[in-house]
Amino acid sequence: LLQIASVWGIAVFIAIIASRNFSKAHLNPAVSLGFYFNKNIGLKTFGIYLVGQLLGAFVAAFAVFQFLCSFHSSLFRKKIFYI
């Protein structure tokens, strides 16, 4: 459990460092929504951040899905799992 938490924390840290210059590390739509309601960002900026966040989430989910499907099918071809 400690390794999972550590790797997750490092991954979020790297994402914040990588995106801080152009989005001020708005990695979560809830953060952007809070900034919008607090009037720290405008509606146009909020829309751009929201589209980017949702697009990034879908691309990441698709990539993980493709990886897991290819991994899963290779296990069945090698007859590691029998169904």
Side-chain angles (χ1 to χ4, degrees):
L1 187 59
L2 182 60
Q3 290 102 354
I4 294 171
S6 299
V7 170
W8 183 259
I10 291 169
V12 171
F13 173 74
I14 291 170
I16 288 171
I17 296 298
S19 67
R20 70 180 173 184
N21 290 334
F22 56 88
S23 75
K24 297 178 183 58
H26 287 244
L27 301 176
N28 186 335
V31 172
S32 299
L33 188 64
F35 271 73
Y36 173 69
F37 283 150
N38 208 19
K39 302 204 185 332
N40 291 336
I41 60 173
L43 182 61
K44 182 179 177 183
T45 305
F46 171 69
I48 292 170
Y49 286 171
L50 185 65
V51 168
Q53 291 159 347
L54 293 177
L55 185 64
F58 281 111
V59 168
F62 180 75
V64 169
F65 178 76
Q66 291 299 316
F67 173 74
L68 291 179
C69 283
S70 65
F71 179 72
H72 184 266
S73 65
S74 70
L75 291 179
F76 283 101
R77 275 186 297 218
K78 292 179 184 175
K79 305 225 186 276
I80 293 174
F81 292 113
Y82 299 99
I83 292 182

